Amino acid sequence: MPLMKRLLSFFHKKDSDNGHLSSILLRMTASYSLFLLIALILVLMLLNARVNQNKNNYWNQNSLIFQSCSNLLDSNLSVIDSFTSELILNDSFVRLARYTDTDNSMYYLTASNVKDNLSAQLFTLEYLPVKGYYIYLRNTNYVLSLNTFEEEDLFFSGKRSYMQESFDEWRTLMNDTSDTSKLLLMEHYRLDESRPLYMYIFNMDAISYRRLPATICFELDTVNIAEMFSPIPLGGTGNVLISNPAQDSLMQLHTSPDMSDLTAQSLTGLSYVNNQASLVRPDGTRIHVTRYFSSVTDWTYYLLQPESLAVAGNDVRLFYFVLLPLIAILGCAIVFVIVMKNMKPVELLDSQLQEAITDREQLQVEIEEQKPLLYDIYVRRLLLGQVTAPDELSYIRDFLHYDGEGLRFTALYTIVYSNGDDSEAGTDRSDNADVSLVELVSQKLSEYLKPEFPSYVFVTSDQAYAALVAYDGSDSDYLMHLQEKILRLHNDLLEQRGIWLYSGIGRSCSSLQHVWESYQQAIDAINYSGKNYIFLPYEMIRKDSNVFYYPAELSNRLVHFISSGNRSQVQELLNLIHEENIEQRSLPLNLLKYLLSDIRNTLLRARFAIHTENPEMQARLQALDKRFDEHLSFKLCEDIALELCGITVVKQETGGLIGTIETYIRENFRDPSMCLSKISEEFNISETYFSHLFKEKTNSNFSVYLEDLRLEEARRRIQAKDCKLSDLYLEVGYNNVNSFRRAFKKKYGVPPSAIS
């Protein structure tokens, strides 16, 4: 009764304070009661099913053990395959196998080298069921093993356990190239059958892309293989049978006379459910068959066991009938106890849920607050030509919501100046007196451009502003529309703050990857602006044929594009230089020579920034170096730039960006300043994109990866006793000893002093 009163009072209290909690608890009580009722009914209905389930559970568990044992054998055979593959890649062995002249002294020297190599790899097969192995060289009829290198007849006669009359049959088997691999019982070749062996034979020529006339034979010990399946109960009459894809029996373990007539062909026709079946022997004995397909060898494993091994458990019926009433009474009591105990957890869970919702909303607010910063970073990188990877470019385009069809892009560069002729210059004549000039210009620029021109503005200095502008490519009058907006903005700022605004705009392009070109043109255009040219497109600039166009920014970008292997950007930049200087300015010969000389110096900077230990790459660089001495022309500069770009691409492909960064982190993780921003600066990649790419490639966050490296190094040095604990945190990259201790204890469960 006290329990019931407490429950009812709690419901009444919760109904007045928090209706949804009271409803949850009432539903909980009803659910537990209904569950108890259904459970009592189902106990009677599922009694017989329970008996069968016991059997199924036994066989399923037995099947898992069988799969595990089969996988163990597969893994051993995979090691043998790997050993063979490594041998195929050995150049000395390949030369030895290809020799046809046994009188050549190099033949025996090479064989000695291969034997040394085999001895060095002896540990690879040490724990496998391999009693021995040898290699038959079909060109010379020699046999090579760990201990011998001799002609086939001497080798075979030296095998005391081999039947000498089987030599011709064995020799034919070694020269048979019809199959890639074979597994044969050695009963036709060995005298001693007390410990049966199998021959696992590979035609090395068939599994190699190189011509390799050799056969390798591994002698497998069936006793050791049978021990792999020892965890499986066989009931004295069970058996394990292995067959190939053609259902030819390859191997039998624990051979029983009672099941000697069962072959792979006879077992294939059974009706399997979840790779399990049963059959009835002529004497009435029921045999349970478990089948497993190996994806490693394409073999099929069959496990034969008498079904009497499974315990039926029929006595469970009496247990249910006797205890059923007691279980019903006890269940009712348990329902009330569980409900009472779950009241506080439900309240706590509800409180935690509300906190989680609040945290999620706060996180969403913080993400929204960070978006302007991310917009600024991405736009800045696009306009400076620092985005070269296609994946990063696609990611940024989606982030900026530039996913429409037919969009074109251009860059706007704006500078503001105080109007010195206005006596009220600098005095705000609007409601924006409390807004700074930078905020006001940025805000007004965005307002005037949008929504007709989706754009992003970032501040380059207190007076300079850059904007990435997108527009519909079908709008042929976009420059006129932009000019109208900029003139209205100019008049607005002149009236509010007494300042002048000048804007330059570059040529449009269809790809965000080339918008840096428009940005450079916008900066060049602003130099020609004045009171009569508030808005000046780059196309309107009159090109001076007495000055060539090759600013330092283009030189730096050319080096950057070459170092990042971006061939399309290099070609685009060279086209720009050619158009500006040769097509539009028609430079005289002396200025053209100066221009080509400057481009050549830029290419030399890019060339000597490439370092490689690859002989093929070094040869390409040496050939390229000679081209710098050829007659200087724009076509030569273009060829050298594209060749440098191609060399850089090959170098990057051999290592990979993330692999290169991982190597850099492992070499410099002791540096306390190692962080995302440093990686970003070092490899010219945005922090957000690098974090995304690093997590995708390594399945680990950068911070976790870095901390694991530092803590693992700390643990290693502590165990090696080659450091002082008081200084260890500094030596592995931490600035604070408390932070180091907390991180160490969190990872290893004990403080550093406990390990030492």
Side-chain angles (χ1 to χ4, degrees):
M1 289 302 294
L3 185 62
M4 181 65 71
K5 289 181 179 180
R6 287 177 59 195
L7 185 61
L8 293 176
S9 64
F10 182 85
F11 285 152
H12 176 72
K13 176 182 177 182
K14 288 302 165 185
D15 189 54
S16 60
D17 294 343
N18 196 341
H20 77 279
L21 278 181
S22 177
S23 176
I24 290 174
L25 294 173
L26 286 172
R27 287 199 298 269
M28 184 188 301
T29 304
S31 299
Y32 283 142
S33 301
L34 181 62
F35 174 77
L36 176 63
L37 178 61
I38 294 174
L40 293 176
I41 295 174
L42 290 179
V43 162
L44 298 176
M45 297 176 59
L46 301 177
L47 185 58
N48 290 330
R50 176 62 178 172
V51 173
N52 294 329
Q53 187 64 34
N54 288 339
K55 291 183 178 180
N56 292 335
N57 289 340
Y58 176 84
W59 292 122
N60 289 336
Q61 182 179 6
N62 188 76
S63 176
L64 292 175
I65 297 174
F66 180 55
Q67 291 181 27
S68 177
C69 296
S70 301
N71 288 333
L72 178 59
L73 178 56
D74 284 349
S75 65
N76 279 260
L77 296 177
S78 296
V79 174
I80 294 175
D81 293 348
S82 299
F83 177 85
T84 304
S85 299
E86 289 181 8
L87 189 59
I88 290 172
L89 298 176
N90 187 299
D91 292 336
S92 296
F93 174 72
V94 172
R95 289 196 303 271
L96 178 66
R98 291 177 178 176
Y99 270 112
T100 57
D101 183 10
T102 59
D103 295 330
N104 192 333
S105 59
M106 290 300 299
Y107 178 65
Y108 298 95
L109 180 59
T110 304
S112 177
N113 292 335
V114 174
K115 283 181 61 178
D116 292 341
N117 183 267
L118 294 179
S119 299
Q121 297 183 6
L122 181 61
F123 67 92
T124 305
L125 306 176
E126 182 176 358
Y127 298 103
L128 303 183
V130 177
K131 187 175 180 61
Y133 71 94
Y134 52 86
I135 305 163
Y136 183 86
L137 306 177
R138 296 197 294 269
N139 277 356
T140 58
N141 297 329
Y142 266 68
V143 178
L144 174 68
S145 67
L146 280 173
N147 303 317
T148 63
F149 178 66
E150 52 193 355
E151 295 183 16
E152 56 183 358
D153 51 349
L154 295 177
F155 170 80
F156 196 85
S157 61
K159 284 278 190 177
R160 297 182 179 178
S161 60
Y162 279 22
M163 292 185 291
Q164 299 304 310
E165 60 271 16
S166 301
F167 171 72
D168 292 337
E169 183 179 352
W170 172 83
R171 188 178 186 276
T172 301
L173 181 63
M174 291 297 103
N175 284 279
D176 184 10
T177 59
S178 59
D179 295 320
T180 302
S181 63
K182 303 183 186 70
L183 183 66
L184 302 173
L185 187 62
M186 296 185 63
E187 60 183 357
H188 299 301
Y189 307 100
R190 299 183 73 249
L191 296 171
D192 182 14
E193 285 300 318
S194 61
R195 196 176 182 94
L197 300 179
Y198 278 85
M199 300 171 68
Y200 192 31
I201 303 171
F202 287 97
N203 175 15
M204 304 180 79
D205 198 18
I207 61 177
S208 170
Y209 66 92
R210 315 164 79 174
R211 187 178 64 82
L212 198 58
T215 301
I216 186 169
C217 176
F218 296 91
E219 297 180 349
L220 304 183
D221 191 338
T222 54
V223 175
N224 291 338
I225 296 176
E227 289 177 355
M228 296 181 186
F229 293 86
S230 59
I232 303 174
L234 296 177
T237 59
N239 191 15
V240 175
L241 188 147
I242 304 174
S243 67
N244 60 16
Q247 295 304 317
D248 298 324
S249 296
L250 298 178
M251 182 182 297
Q252 291 194 42
L253 307 174
H254 308 285
T255 305
S256 170
D258 296 337
M259 299 187 185
S260 59
D261 60 325
L262 294 177
T263 62
Q265 287 85 354
S266 62
L267 298 176
T268 304
L270 298 177
S271 298
Y272 288 90
V273 178
N274 294 328
N275 286 317
Q276 298 184 48
S278 63
L279 59 86
V280 180
R281 305 282 290 156
D283 59 359
T285 304
R286 299 187 64 86
I287 303 299
H288 188 86
V289 182
T290 304
R291 180 178 62 181
Y292 173 68
F293 296 104
S294 170
S295 60
V296 177
T297 60
D298 291 332
W299 293 350
T300 304
Y301 294 80
Y302 294 98
L303 172 63
L304 311 176
Q305 298 170 284
E307 288 203 356
S308 59
L309 290 175
V311 179
N314 294 321
D315 294 339
V316 75
R317 291 188 176 90
L318 179 61
F319 171 79
Y320 279 108
F321 281 117
V322 172
L323 293 184
L324 190 60
L326 296 178
I327 292 175
I329 297 172
L330 182 61
C332 293
I334 291 175
V335 167
F336 286 103
V337 172
I338 291 176
V339 169
M340 287 300 295
K341 287 188 175 181
N342 285 343
M343 287 177 182
K344 288 185 178 180
V346 168
E347 285 186 285
L348 179 61
L349 182 61
D350 181 73
S351 174
Q352 292 175 345
L353 180 60
Q354 295 300 324
E355 291 178 2
I357 293 174
T358 303
D359 292 342
R360 183 178 179 276
E361 293 174 350
Q362 181 63 30
L363 179 60
Q364 191 64 34
V365 171
E366 293 178 1
I367 291 175
E368 292 299 325
E369 291 175 351
Q370 292 295 324
K371 274 191 175 181
L373 176 61
L374 293 176
Y375 288 141
D376 185 85
I377 292 173
Y378 290 150
V379 172
R380 188 185 301 269
R381 285 176 56 78
L382 285 171
L383 295 183
L384 295 179
Q386 295 176 349
V387 179
T388 57
D391 291 344
E392 184 179 11
L393 182 67
S394 176
Y395 178 83
I396 293 177
R397 179 164 184 153
D398 292 341
F399 187 83
L400 297 179
H401 306 293
Y402 283 155
D403 49 2
E405 294 292 335
L407 286 180
R408 292 188 67 85
F409 308 95
T410 185
L412 185 72
Y413 192 74
T414 301
I415 297 179
V416 295
Y417 297 100
S418 297
N419 183 13
D421 297 333
D422 194 335
S423 60
E424 298 182 15
T427 303
D428 197 338
R429 306 159 197 161
S430 69
D431 297 332
N432 296 314
D434 296 332
V435 180
S436 68
L437 177 62
V438 173
E439 294 176 350
L440 177 63
V441 175
S442 300
Q443 178 183 347
K444 289 292 185 181
L445 193 56
S446 296
E447 289 177 0
Y448 275 83
L449 292 175
K450 295 178 180 178
E452 183 179 355
F453 296 99
S455 57
Y456 295 93
V457 179
F458 77 89
V459 181
T460 61
S461 67
D462 291 342
Q463 291 183 311
Y465 306 82
L468 172 62
V469 181
Y471 69 94
D472 187 350
S474 61
D475 184 5
S476 58
D477 297 327
Y478 78 98
L479 281 176
M480 184 178 298
H481 298 157
L482 272 174
Q483 183 179 14
E484 293 173 358
K485 291 178 178 293
I486 294 301
L487 290 177
R488 293 209 318 268
L489 173 60
H490 167 74
N491 295 332
D492 190 2
L493 291 177
L494 186 61
E495 180 182 349
Q496 290 187 24
R497 289 288 182 97
I499 58 176
W500 282 75
L501 175 144
Y502 303 97
S503 293
I505 186 168
R507 288 196 293 258
S508 66
C509 58
S510 60
S511 172
L512 280 174
Q513 191 174 24
H514 300 148
V515 78
W516 60 267
E517 182 179 334
S518 180
Y519 179 60
Q520 181 64 45
Q521 294 167 350
I523 294 176
D524 294 339
I526 204 72
N527 295 326
Y528 295 87
S529 62
K531 290 192 175 182
N532 295 327
Y533 297 100
I534 300 299
F535 178 83
L536 185 63
Y538 181 76
E539 290 91 337
M540 295 180 60
I541 299 175
R542 296 180 61 185
K543 308 299 170 58
D544 186 359
S545 61
N546 294 322
V547 178
F548 65 80
Y549 178 76
Y550 189 58
E553 292 84 356
L554 288 187
S555 176
N556 293 334
R557 282 200 181 98
L558 181 56
V559 173
H560 168 67
F561 290 154
I562 290 175
S563 63
S564 59
N566 196 324
R567 188 182 184 89
S568 63
Q569 291 280 49
V570 170
Q571 186 67 65
E572 182 70 19
L573 191 147
L574 292 172
N575 291 341
L576 172 64
I577 296 173
H578 187 275
E579 178 184 356
E580 289 288 340
N581 293 280
I582 298 177
E583 297 177 17
Q584 297 186 9
R585 285 180 172 80
S586 299
L587 292 178
L589 184 59
N590 60 330
L591 289 180
L592 180 60
K593 288 182 178 179
Y594 288 135
L595 171 64
L596 294 177
S597 178
D598 283 358
I599 297 175
R600 179 180 181 274
N601 292 336
T602 301
L603 296 177
L604 284 172
R605 274 204 299 148
R607 157 62 185 93
F608 289 109
I610 300 176
H611 303 284
T612 180
E613 300 295 332
N614 188 315
E616 182 179 350
M617 297 281 288
Q618 289 178 347
R620 290 181 64 180
L621 287 172
Q622 289 173 2
L624 185 63
D625 290 342
K626 296 179 180 179
R627 300 205 64 186
F628 281 97
D629 298 328
E630 295 179 10
H631 178 72
L632 197 57
S633 65
F634 194 87
K635 182 64 171 63
L636 176 64
C637 293
E638 183 178 16
D639 291 344
I640 292 176
L642 295 178
E643 176 66 13
L644 285 171
C645 191
I647 292 174
T648 304
V649 168
V650 173
K651 182 180 177 184
Q652 290 177 348
E653 289 177 348
T654 56
L657 177 60
I658 294 302
T660 302
I661 295 178
E662 280 191 89
T663 302
Y664 175 81
I665 296 172
R666 286 194 295 268
E667 293 175 352
N668 298 275
F669 69 86
R670 298 175 184 84
D671 182 0
S673 65
M674 175 66 65
C675 60
L676 274 175
S677 60
K678 185 167 185 177
I679 295 293
S680 176
E681 295 173 3
E682 184 73 23
F683 292 92
N684 196 25
I685 184 173
S686 69
E687 296 179 22
T688 306
Y689 180 67
F690 166 66
S691 298
H692 168 77
L693 196 61
F694 191 84
K695 178 66 178 294
E696 183 180 82
K697 298 295 184 183
T698 65
N699 201 29
S700 175
N701 292 325
F702 167 76
S703 57
V704 175
Y705 183 84
L706 178 60
E707 186 168 87
D708 286 345
L709 284 177
R710 289 171 171 172
L711 294 177
E712 181 61 28
E713 174 66 10
R715 183 186 65 81
R716 185 192 68 78
R717 296 190 63 179
I718 291 173
Q719 291 178 338
K721 301 184 183 300
D722 64 347
C723 64
K724 293 182 180 179
L725 289 180
S726 58
D727 299 330
L728 180 59
Y729 75 98
L730 293 173
E731 296 174 2
V732 295
Y734 283 88
N735 288 321
N736 185 281
V737 65
N738 292 327
S739 299
F740 167 65
R741 288 174 178 170
R742 283 195 301 270
F744 194 94
K745 187 173 182 179
K746 180 180 179 180
K747 180 174 179 64
Y748 297 110
V750 293
S753 56
I755 295 182
S756 59

